Structure formats: structure tokens, C-alpha cells
Amino acid sequence: MENQIADPNTGEILTMEQLLEAYERAKEATAQARQAEDRYKLAILAQMRLNDATAIPSETYICQSKPNPSKPDQTRLRALFEEMNEQDLAHCYRQEVIKEVVEPAHFKTTETKAACMRNGGRQKQIYESAVIQGEPTLIFKRRETKEQDDA
């Protein structure tokens, strides 16, 4: 006899195979919902950019974009190996570290920016060309209403 379990949503008795099939359908529905959410988010952010705005006025919702900081692309910073002296490289470049997870070798952003700005010239150009703008975060929630406060 096959194991049976109650569906956590309906209480209906399911076989293990039916439970797995229901889980697969739920995962698929969740993925589709996430894709739809991402498309709406991109449309909202595009509308904000088009209007040169950081928020959309609404009496019902709070909808704002919050910029994420820009950061340099580590691949583009590799040109600094040929431009920096050994002392600056030792200060700015972190070798690969193995903890529970491998942390790949990378340039430490704060130290690298400081060294490149101090040394100027080609190093400064490399750093500035490596900087990429972070994707903005969308802050979205329903406003509290008087009716909700009274309840």
C-alpha cells in the first residue's frame, strides 16, 4: 500500500505521486508569478526613468525607486595589474580565500578606488571605466488607511 498524505491546502488525501505532482504545479505557478512580477517591476522602473522620477504618485500605494550604489566590474579592474606598483596591489587586491565557500580573488573596492584616484592617470581611467551602475530597488507597499487604523 502506497503512503498517503493530506493535501496541506485542501485536506484531500493524496498519494505521494499526487503530492509530488501538486508540488511541481505550485513551483511552476510560483515561477510564472515571479516572471510577471519582474515584468511589472521593469515597466514601473521604465516609467519612472521616462518621467525622470523616483516615485509614482498614488493615494493607495507607496511606490519609490531607491538607487543601488554603483560598483566596479572586477573583470575590467584586472588591467590594474599592469598599472599598479606592488605596494598598491598588495593593499588593494585580495587573494582567493577558502572558507566554507570559496571567495574568489578580487580587488577591494574602497582601497582600489583610493589608490587609483591618488595615482591618477591610466589607473583612474581604468577604475572609472570599470564602474557600473547598480539596478535600482523598487519599494512598494499599500498605504495604511484610516479604516485599517480604526479596525
Side-chain angles (χ1 to χ4, degrees):
M1 178 158 161
E2 192 172 345
N3 287 342
Q4 296 183 337
I5 188 166
D7 183 308
N9 293 311
T10 65
E12 178 185 350
I13 301 299
L14 303 174
T15 65
M16 288 304 284
E17 192 65 25
Q18 290 170 324
L19 179 65
L20 295 173
E21 288 170 358
Y23 181 66
E24 180 184 39
R25 286 191 304 275
K27 283 183 66 70
E28 187 176 302
T30 300
Q32 290 174 358
R34 275 199 192 101
Q35 289 172 355
E37 178 186 4
D38 287 345
R39 286 190 295 269
Y40 285 121
K41 175 184 169 186
L42 290 174
I44 290 168
L45 290 171
Q47 192 63 41
M48 286 180 182
R49 273 193 296 277
L50 185 66
N51 295 329
D52 198 26
T54 58
I56 293 179
S58 170
E59 291 183 20
T60 309
Y61 302 101
I62 296 171
C63 185
Q64 304 170 331
S65 69
K66 176 181 147 192
N68 278 327
S70 55
K71 61 182 179 182
D73 177 11
Q74 289 289 323
T75 307
R76 293 179 185 177
L77 289 178
R78 290 190 179 148
L80 291 173
F81 281 121
E82 297 177 15
E83 299 294 327
M84 285 186 155
N85 62 41
E86 286 184 29
Q87 183 180 4
D88 282 342
L89 265 177
H91 185 67
C92 297
Y93 189 71
R94 170 181 253 151
Q95 297 294 327
E96 182 174 84
V97 176
I98 300 175
K99 299 177 182 174
E100 292 88 39
V101 180
V102 174
E103 183 180 315
H106 63 278
F107 282 93
K108 297 181 272 183
T109 306
T110 305
E111 291 86 345
T112 303
K113 180 179 181 181
C116 289
M117 296 305 135
R118 179 180 64 246
N119 296 334
R122 176 98 173 102
Q123 290 181 25
K124 183 177 178 183
Q125 289 173 343
I126 291 169
Y127 184 85
E128 288 174 347
S129 70
V131 174
I132 52 176
Q133 183 60 46
E135 187 65 30
T137 301
L138 187 64
I139 299 167
F140 179 82
K141 64 182 178 180
R142 184 176 280 274
R143 291 186 187 276
E144 298 291 325
T145 64
K146 294 262 185 205
E147 295 166 4
Q148 291 173 336
D149 293 340
D150 294 339

